[in-house]
Amino acid sequence: LTKKNRFAEAESLLNKSIEVDAANSQAYAALAELKLKTKAAPETLRALLDRIRALAFKPDASLWTASAALERALGDSAAAKTSLKNA
């Protein structure tokens, strides 16, 4: 969907995937990529980063990488480096 620039539809499906399976790390990672690609506002990126950080399960490499990308976009290079090391 993102290749066809159908971003709203992609976001809706990703959010539904997360609702169905709150441990769907791939959906969170894809949602982060989508938000970055569409140049979402910093508040939106921060909210998604907070959601990822609050997950009750252990993050996998895709979530650490998504966190690093969000942190870098928000100007927190130190946190981004730490997240990449954890990936």
Side-chain angles (χ1 to χ4, degrees):
L1 293 173
T2 57
K3 290 180 183 179
K4 296 180 181 181
N5 293 329
R6 294 167 55 185
F7 302 119
E9 188 177 350
E11 183 175 355
S12 178
L13 289 173
L14 290 168
N15 282 320
K16 285 180 185 176
S17 294
I18 291 168
E19 283 179 31
V20 170
D21 179 8
N24 187 339
S25 61
Q26 296 303 315
Y28 278 105
L31 186 58
E33 183 179 338
L34 175 69
K35 294 293 187 180
L36 291 166
K37 184 174 186 170
T38 58
K39 299 187 185 331
E43 313 79 58
T44 303
L45 299 178
R46 173 66 56 200
L48 179 56
L49 180 58
D50 290 344
R51 283 175 61 191
I52 290 172
R53 286 179 175 167
L55 294 173
F57 59 92
K58 184 179 178 186
D60 60 14
S62 65
L63 283 180
W64 283 117
T65 304
S67 293
L70 292 168
E71 290 158 347
R72 186 178 60 215
L74 291 167
D76 191 349
S77 58
K81 286 180 185 178
T82 300
S83 291
L84 284 175
K85 286 179 185 176
N86 288 322

